Amino acid sequence: MAVIPVERKPLSLAERTYLPQIAAGLKTTLKHIFQPTVTLEYPEQRPTIPPGYRGVPTLVFDPHGREKCVSCQLCEFVCPPKAIRITPGGIDPADPAAHVEKRPQEFEIDMLRCIYCGLCQEVCPEEAIFLQNQYSMTGYTRAEMVNNKQKLYELGGTLPDAHFKWDKKKAAEEHGNAH
Amino acid sequence: MPAEFTFPDNAAKAADAAPEFETEKMSLSMGPSHPSTHGVLRLQLEIDGEIVTKCDPVLGYLHRGDEKIAENMTYNQFVPYTDRLDYIAPLANNVAYAIAVERLAKLEVPPRCQAIRVIICELARISSHLLGLGAYGIDVGAWSIFLYTFTEREKLYKLFEELTGARFTTSYTRIGGLARDVPAGWNDRVLAFCDQFLPILDEVLALLTRNKIFMDRTVDIGVISKADAIAYGLTGPNLRGSGVPFDLRKDAPYSGYEKYEFDVPVGTKGDCYDRYLCRGEEMKQSVRIVRQAIASFPGGDWYVKDARRIFAPPKEKILTSMEELINNFMIVTEGPQIPAGEVYFEAENPKGTLGFFIVSKGGGVPWRMKIRSPSFCNLSILPKVCVGTFVSDVVSILGSLDFVMGEADR
């Protein structure tokens, strides 16, 4: 095991006059003056958000315009600060997505409680809830900071779907081999 | 009522300084919102003129009951709470917690997961020491240090953001793995950071190491002897600054630390200057470890394969297979199934050794969890080390101990 004692040398006479340090300090300062700035003029300039950023949680539609959430309430269960409240509801039989059977009647995320941990997105078995790149949420009242279902879909929009599992299920049912 | 501390050596020094000028002692509250206290720590000082004769740290302003919270949620749900212990190095806390639970479950994570954990731990150490160094600079009157170290820290935060999705509250580990794999090209960006970081670190350290003003504020101030450091349970750079070469990465390696070559810097005198020097050197050693870990970066899985009741199946499977869907629901609602037993695991965090003592009665929720936080133990030396110093030296000592109240009060 390599243990190295840190080096401590007493100051030389020249160093005790402060002068070499002043010169070295000025040199460092001058060097940094001519380097590009590291700050952003927020909010005019915005930082680039990397893919996979955990911003405000949102609900998404699939490319066919179906709400992906089936109100299984797994995100509500896992949410560590209990920020999510879901009221499950049925789907009108006339609806093209009636075979999905359930959708949230109301879906509320309290952004004053949310800690942006991303567990809801991680556990979601439908890929319906996503933390996207929105990071700045403000409001004048507490009520404004609770995102309801409509707001969540507005923020979320439509995301591509690799599986279309419910469409596949419907097709299988129509061919008579459900489950 | 806090216990009365009397320490013959320092107290005698203070009292004997000039007995004929002995005056009425004054009580001074430093904090909880004093600009020079880090976080919400209150020091109840008793001073005789400029000399501190008694120092009582008052803790608990940031107490959130994390240990109790842990008993009321599944193991994975607690990961975001570990971010908020030592919030200067959340990734290191995530890793320490995940390894503790994995030890309890007797799980062995694959080499790729271990390597990622080592890299993020060392980056977290650099980030934490950069902040400690910058804040210490401000404490003793060197402002520009803070600006340079924060510029470097911002670069690290960009890397964390890309890896975990958040700059600060990373919540990156899961029991038996990680939240996600490293993004493409991330390792190269870490190496690029390391390459440009070392010259800047040298430049920053050069502003302080040979600076007479800085040395006047730190050399022979707050001397902690080897015996005291061990007796008070100091860990991390504070212990090593006193000359005890104790580093869990060497003494009880975890997550594959035994594979990497690095040195443990130790101080010789145990004063504030030694603690500062140790932190500076540790950052250089961390860069060494990161480079080795990336040079030998293993492929393969980044989560355990054979733990169906602990690590959730991949999303792909959940969306296509009924079995995996049910498994996902079981793991989320019941928690990762950890066998009954108890475990104590300590990791070498930037501030010292962060320990988790977990008692499990089986199932997905810990029956009891105790968190041994390095900052809390490091603060216990304050009543001893502050006695007999000047009031302005208290600020210097506080800065050199580099603690985080989120962790001390937890």
Side-chain angles (χ1 to χ4, degrees):
Chain A
M1 164 165 165
V3 174
I4 47 166
V6 288
E7 198 186 359
R8 316 171 47 120
K9 279 186 300 195
L11 290 174
S12 67
L13 188 65
E15 282 170 323
R16 264 180 283 166
T17 62
Y18 299 94
L19 292 174
Q21 271 299 321
I22 292 177
L26 283 176
K27 201 179 125 204
T28 309
T29 307
L30 278 174
K31 200 178 123 197
H32 282 267
I33 282 179
F34 296 107
Q35 278 179 1
T37 51
V38 290
T39 47
L40 278 179
E41 298 278 342
Y42 188 86
E44 286 80 22
Q45 293 173 334
R46 297 276 177 154
T48 45
I49 302 294
Y53 180 76
R54 303 202 316 251
V56 173
T58 60
L59 290 176
V60 298
F61 291 108
D62 80 352
H64 298 167
R66 180 182 67 82
E67 315 178 12
K68 290 182 90 174
C69 179
V70 298
S71 66
C72 72
Q73 294 175 295
L74 201 57
C75 53
E76 186 179 12
F77 182 89
V78 82
C79 181
K82 310 227 179 300
I84 302 177
R85 200 171 62 84
I86 301 171
T87 315
I91 299 183
D92 183 13
D95 193 290
H99 62 294
V100 184
E101 292 170 17
K102 271 171 89 185
R103 66 167 52 142
Q105 191 183 330
E106 188 44 82
F107 197 119
E108 285 176 346
I109 302 184
D110 187 346
M111 293 315 297
L112 295 169
R113 295 193 72 107
C114 177
I115 57 170
Y116 302 81
C117 64
L119 283 179
C120 47
Q121 175 182 340
E122 190 173 309
V123 303
C124 180
E126 295 287 333
E127 293 196 322
I129 185 163
F130 272 95
L131 275 71
Q132 298 193 41
N133 56 11
Q134 171 103 20
Y135 54 86
S136 172
M137 289 282 296
T138 48
Y140 288 104
T141 58
R142 281 171 180 271
E144 258 177 79
M145 294 303 287
V146 179
N147 288 344
N148 60 13
K149 184 174 152 182
Q150 190 202 345
K151 179 89 187 286
L152 288 168
Y153 276 115
E154 264 169 37
L155 287 169
T158 304
L159 282 189
D161 191 329
H163 300 285
F164 290 108
K165 77 181 230 191
W166 290 102
D167 292 352
K168 279 183 196 153
K169 184 168 182 272
K170 192 175 189 183
E173 262 169 24
E174 279 162 7
H175 282 88
N177 56 351
H179 304 298
Chain B
M1 209 31 212
E4 183 97 13
F5 289 94
T6 50
F7 298 100
D9 45 347
N10 279 325
K13 196 173 98 192
D16 293 348
E20 67 273 26
F21 295 119
E22 202 171 298
T23 50
E24 200 184 335
K25 287 185 180 159
M26 190 170 84
S27 179
L28 177 75
S29 255
M30 208 177 195
S33 54
H34 189 274
S36 69
T37 59
H38 297 201
V40 273
L41 169 72
R42 175 166 157 242
L43 291 180
Q44 188 62 48
L45 301 176
E46 187 190 84
I47 52 178
D48 182 6
E50 260 292 281
I51 310 264
V52 177
T53 53
K54 204 170 108 186
C55 167
D56 276 328
V58 183
L59 285 88
Y61 290 96
L62 221 54
H63 181 68
R64 289 144 296 168
D66 273 345
E67 293 177 3
K68 199 72 193 168
I69 289 172
E71 293 168 19
N72 291 298
M73 52 176 57
T74 64
Y75 287 101
N76 274 331
Q77 277 178 304
F78 190 65
V79 172
Y81 288 85
T82 61
D83 292 341
R84 289 147 176 87
L85 293 172
D86 174 1
Y87 44 74
I88 309 299
L91 282 165
N93 303 334
N94 295 164
V95 171
Y97 172 69
I99 296 179
V101 183
E102 282 156 15
R103 290 261 165 111
L104 185 56
K106 299 197 173 50
L107 266 188
E108 193 64 45
V109 293
R112 186 183 176 90
C113 177
Q114 290 192 337
I116 298 173
R117 285 179 177 182
V118 167
I119 294 171
I120 59 176
C121 272
E122 293 311 313
L123 291 180
R125 188 179 319 276
I126 295 173
S127 149
S128 167
H129 285 352
L130 279 176
L131 183 119
L133 192 63
Y136 194 30
I138 294 184
D139 284 349
V140 296
W143 248 99
S144 46
I145 308 298
F146 179 78
L147 301 175
Y148 296 139
T149 58
F150 252 57
T151 310
E152 290 312 297
R153 218 160 150 264
E154 177 60 32
K155 292 172 192 162
L156 275 175
Y157 272 10
K158 285 271 178 223
L159 292 171
F160 294 162
E161 188 180 31
E162 208 185 328
L163 177 69
T164 71
R167 291 157 52 84
F168 204 64
T169 49
T170 51
S171 312
Y172 185 53
T173 59
R174 296 289 178 272
I175 311 309
L178 302 162
R180 45 171 115 156
D181 196 7
V182 286
W186 190 76
N187 283 349
D188 297 331
R189 285 188 282 281
V190 172
L191 282 183
F193 166 80
C194 291
D195 291 341
Q196 60 88 46
F197 171 66
L198 283 181
I200 294 181
L201 179 63
D202 283 335
E203 186 183 57
V204 168
L205 293 180
L207 286 175
L208 289 179
T209 309
R210 309 295 293 161
N211 185 327
K212 183 160 190 317
I213 305 170
F214 181 72
M215 287 177 82
D216 284 348
R217 293 295 309 270
T218 54
V219 173
D220 293 331
I221 305 291
V223 178
I224 302 172
S225 70
K226 231 180 196 180
D228 277 345
I230 295 170
Y232 281 80
L234 300 199
T235 44
N238 298 331
L239 177 67
R240 292 191 284 274
S242 294
V244 185
F246 177 76
D247 189 323
L248 284 169
R249 294 172 295 168
K250 287 274 190 200
D251 296 326
Y254 53 93
S255 198
Y257 265 113
E258 65 278 1
K259 286 185 284 194
Y260 309 111
E261 211 174 281
F262 62 98
D263 299 324
V264 177
V266 294
T268 43
K269 286 184 109 169
D271 57 2
C272 295
Y273 190 60
D274 262 345
R275 292 193 277 278
Y276 150 79
L277 288 175
C278 280
R279 289 205 176 83
E281 183 57 35
E282 270 185 25
M283 281 190 262
K284 294 179 190 167
Q285 299 298 334
S286 290
V287 169
R288 258 178 89 187
I289 299 174
V290 169
R291 281 189 173 148
Q292 290 172 53
I294 291 183
S296 63
F297 197 64
D301 287 322
W302 42 274
Y303 51 87
V304 284
K305 267 276 174 179
D306 48 348
R308 281 185 59 81
R309 306 210 57 202
I310 291 178
F311 195 82
K315 228 11 174 310
E316 191 81 358
K317 294 255 180 73
I318 296 175
L319 283 155
T320 48
S321 147
M322 180 58 89
E323 304 293 321
E324 307 285 359
L325 177 68
I326 294 169
N327 192 11
N328 182 49
F329 266 86
M330 295 294 283
I331 288 178
V332 173
T333 52
E334 291 186 349
Q337 296 302 302
I338 307 293
E342 50 183 71
V343 74
Y344 180 66
F345 172 74
E346 291 187 314
E348 185 69 35
N349 263 32
K351 306 276 188 295
T353 63
L354 174 69
F356 286 97
F357 177 65
I358 304 172
V359 181
S360 162
K361 301 240 160 166
V365 178
W367 184 75
R368 171 80 171 95
M369 167 150 25
K370 157 89 183 117
I371 303 167
R372 184 249 186 238
S373 68
S375 297
F376 180 77
C377 299
N378 288 348
L379 280 177
S380 69
I381 192 91
L382 276 180
K384 165 110 188 169
V385 79
C386 286
V387 171
T389 64
F390 290 110
V391 175
S392 56
D393 289 342
V394 172
V395 178
S396 182
I397 293 168
L398 282 181
S400 79
L401 288 175
D402 188 24
F403 53 87
V404 164
M405 291 316 283
E407 179 177 65
D409 291 340
R410 60 200 179 278

